[in-house]
Amino acid sequence: MKTAIYPGSFDPVTLGHLDIIKRSAGMFDKLIVLVLKNSAKKSLFTAEERVSMMEGLVKDMPNVCVDTNDGLLVDYAKEKNATIVIRGLRTTTDFEYELQLAHTNNMEYKELETIFLATGMEYSYLSSTVVKEFASYHGDISRFVPPEIVPLVEAKYK
Ligand code: ADP
């Protein structure tokens, strides 16, 4: 059984993230969407809120589950017997950092392969940071995030 992990901050989850989830769910037996608690990053939503948002979005995808973790990704992957990490690639800027991360993870856990999925073209400009920036000026974010996420983000900037 091939288990893949799609890790990220998802603060908040965007249509770009959801596109990667749908595409990778079709490629593996099981997909774990891993909401990272990154203490170095100040997040808009708590890890619990991000998990709950994600759970709502994947509830009809039978081989996808959501989890959270504040340790090293390699340790989590070993614990879950997962040998694949999914990451999305938007631009060349993403590439350098992602490659560094993939090499580091692979050094710690030889069997762990990182698979990069090219972002859907319509989402290549999209990031959680852009969504927050738009929302902070009360801009329309409905083109960036799933409909059920819109009011949750807007509520943070009321
Ligand atoms: P991180 O804080 O780890 O970068 P993010 O939540 O920003 O986490 O992103 C998680 C993953 O999703 C990363 O692999 C990132 O490259 C990818 N990603 C981010 N935005 C998009 C997008 N618009 N389309 C596809 N993939 C994306």
Side-chain angles (χ1 to χ4, degrees):
M1 176 160 129
K2 281 268 174 232
T3 302
I5 301 174
Y6 177 41
S9 311
F10 309 116
D11 183 46
V13 52
T14 68
L15 290 170
H17 295 134
L18 197 56
D19 175 54
I20 298 278
I21 293 171
K22 286 181 184 156
R23 286 159 58 198
S24 35
M27 295 164 60
F28 305 99
D29 300 307
K30 184 178 172 190
L31 178 71
I32 305 173
V33 179
L34 188 64
V35 175
L36 301 173
K37 291 182 188 168
N38 188 341
S39 51
K41 270 190 184 176
K42 172 122 186 53
S43 61
L44 178 66
F45 290 94
T46 64
E48 290 69 29
E49 288 173 323
R50 286 177 276 143
V51 167
S52 143
M53 285 192 279
M54 195 59 93
E55 278 173 345
L57 294 171
V58 305
K59 66 177 189 307
D60 295 327
M61 302 181 204
N63 65 333
V64 181
C65 67
V66 183
D67 199 1
T68 182
N69 191 255
D70 55 6
L72 276 181
L73 179 63
V74 283
D75 293 336
Y76 180 87
K78 281 179 193 165
E79 185 192 311
K80 297 287 171 184
N81 258 323
T83 51
I84 292 145
V85 173
I86 305 288
R87 296 289 285 175
L89 276 188
R90 286 165 296 189
T91 57
T92 48
T93 336
D94 274 350
F95 180 76
E96 285 208 12
Y97 171 71
E98 291 294 339
L99 200 61
Q100 212 177 7
L101 209 63
H103 286 153
T104 313
N105 286 338
N106 188 255
M107 253 165 26
E108 295 291 321
Y109 178 13
K110 271 278 153 269
E111 291 74 28
L112 193 65
E113 296 287 0
T114 301
I115 295 185
F116 297 112
L117 289 187
T119 300
M121 255 196 334
E122 61 274 47
Y123 307 125
S124 60
Y125 63 92
L126 193 51
S127 70
S128 298
T129 307
V130 163
V131 171
K132 285 181 274 195
E133 182 91 2
F134 249 70
S136 72
Y137 291 104
H138 305 290
D140 177 12
I141 56 165
S142 60
R143 274 175 304 135
F144 306 148
V145 299
E148 48 274 69
I149 305 301
V150 174
L152 304 176
V153 178
E154 286 176 348
K156 292 280 181 185
Y157 294 100
K158 278 259 160 68

